[in-house]
Amino acid sequence: MAEDNKINQMIAEAILTKAGFEIDIAEDGQIAVQKLSDAPAGTYDVILMDIQMPNMDGYEATETIRKMDDKDKANIPIVAVTANAFEEDRKHALNSGMNGHLAKPYDVPAIMKTLKEIINNKE
């Protein structure tokens, strides 16, 4: 998960670990890109990407990931998680290469539904 807000990090971590997921948190898009780049392909199944972060926002991070030479990493599912919940925000996320869009505050059933769909599509 790429998320700069400590409270949102703690909430997401609690929700996802309770559901059985392992979570790795990056404080901004630049760190998320670096973690994905440094890890062996297949380490991560999905990235939940905040949009508004310092150093590198979620759109730029997604575009950087999509340009990676390793196609397994470049094609990792990325889901926007943002307070920007208008239709144009969802379209911008999808147009930047993201696979989905979730609104904050966290909607646990929506997160679980989205993650289940992504994981089932990878199998």
Side-chain angles (χ1 to χ4, degrees):
M1 167 171 254
E3 170 65 63
D4 63 314
N5 182 288
K6 296 287 185 200
I7 293 171
N8 288 340
Q9 289 174 4
M10 291 188 313
I11 292 168
E13 185 170 27
I15 290 168
L16 295 170
T17 55
K18 184 176 181 181
F21 293 96
E22 291 181 41
I23 184 169
D24 187 10
I25 297 173
E27 294 79 19
D28 64 40
Q30 192 171 28
I31 294 169
V33 169
Q34 191 62 54
K35 283 184 175 216
L36 181 63
S37 179
D38 291 346
T43 299
Y44 300 106
D45 294 314
V46 63
I47 297 174
L48 298 177
M49 182 77 74
D50 186 22
I51 298 301
Q52 297 178 339
M53 295 180 289
N55 302 318
M56 182 185 284
D57 69 26
Y59 297 125
E60 186 179 353
T62 298
E63 291 166 4
T64 302
I65 290 167
R66 295 298 183 230
K67 293 176 185 172
M68 288 183 167
D69 292 333
D70 184 326
K71 293 303 167 199
D72 288 332
K73 293 179 183 181
N75 292 319
I76 188 169
I78 301 173
V79 178
V81 183
T82 178
N84 301 332
F86 295 108
E87 180 61 21
E88 66 255 19
D89 300 310
R90 187 187 73 76
K91 286 181 182 175
H92 189 187
L94 297 176
N95 288 338
S96 72
M98 294 184 185
N99 304 85
H101 182 274
L102 294 167
K104 290 180 189 174
Y106 295 120
D107 177 342
V108 176
I111 292 171
M112 292 306 138
K113 179 179 182 271
T114 299
L115 291 175
K116 182 178 178 183
E117 288 171 358
I118 288 171
I119 290 167
N120 286 343
N121 285 337
K122 286 182 77 174
E123 294 175 351

